[in-house]
Amino acid sequence: MFNTPLVLSFALVLSSPLIFLYGPKIFVHNRHPEIYVDDIALVHRAATLDNAHKRHNWGGISVISRLGTTNQRKKIAFLFLTNTDLHFAPLWERFFSGHGDLFNIYIHADPTADVASPGGVFDGRFIPAKKTERASPSLISAARRLLATAIIDDPLNSYFAVVSQNCIPLHSFNFVYKSLFSSKYKSFIEILSDEPQLWDRYIARGESVMLPEVPFDSFRVGSQFFVLTRNHARLVIRDRKLWRKFKLPCLNKDSCYPEEHYFPTLLSLEDPNGCTHYTLTRVNWTGSVDGHPHTYYPSEISPELIHELRESNNTYSHMFARKFSPDCLKPLMDIADKVIFRD
């Protein structure tokens, strides 16, 4: 007969590699559902979540969102992507006032920047975040993280608006809400194919690296600030094919702006007719410096500027604008009720 302790010891030795391999997959589900091991877990959860159910079983735990509210009207998810304090929080607070059942806020703040919560409607809205850098895949990751969190959090989130700490609203909340939900339910994202520096940006990782998934004639560029439908938000977080290409490091850093290419290229390939091909965020590229758009300062703030920024050659007027210096807050607040929020 076999010696029982010897058999048990031998079995334990044989099982050690299996524990090492599968242990993390088993035990990770016993963690608190809001603490994500990495982006893969978050994105997988969002991609497989049943839209019809707010309650979701995560590793045997029945989870109810901690951020969203219960309401049957469609909502706009505002996704703040920042690496500084939210200097215009008071202006946004006034924008959101009285509409608490029609929006959700999610903030991705670079953890190395020590961003303070402004309180109010922003209190408790910060999501687990990672360091971000301009002209790197980290900004794509951050946007995908925001989209995934908002999808998980509330099935009534129907539009997803990405804005920065330097963005301001140009209209009242009512105007923005009615404009979006009276539209043909398309994503408002800029998609351009004839920019002069497109080839240099396409080969920034190497001349043939993007092939075969992204041939040059499918490569697009556009603003990283957009408003996506829920279907397109889910499409983004489910994507693996293009993400594998765009997260590769660039050889030519001077032509590397993946955050301006990934989203318009993906949506152009997957559903071009479901996109407007223009953004709702106004930006002034006149006199841009080092790839940054014009920054507005207090002396430039006026009712005339707000009206000018609203103007658009497309079906809808611009609803947001950037980029504004932090000291623009006071002059903007001075004209908020009489100009900005009077449509």
Side-chain angles (χ1 to χ4, degrees), residues 30-44:
N30 291 326
R31 295 174 183 264
H32 191 284
E34 297 301 333
I35 300 175
Y36 303 108
V37 177
D38 53 29
D39 288 345
I40 295 175
L42 173 63
V43 169
H44 176 74

Side-chain angles (χ1 to χ4, degrees), residues 237-280:
I237 62 171
R238 285 174 170 172
D239 171 59
R240 298 291 182 274
K241 185 172 66 174
L242 264 64
W243 177 226
R244 282 197 295 267
K245 294 291 187 177
F246 279 94
K247 69 181 179 181
L248 294 173
C250 290
L251 303 177
N252 181 2
K253 295 290 185 180
D254 293 334
S255 297
C256 187
Y257 299 93
E259 71 277 10
E260 296 181 1
H261 296 280
Y262 171 71
F263 300 100
T265 299
L266 174 63
L267 291 176
S268 177
L269 284 169
E270 296 293 336
D271 187 18
N273 294 328
C275 304
T276 61
H277 294 242
Y278 60 85
T279 179
L280 295 176

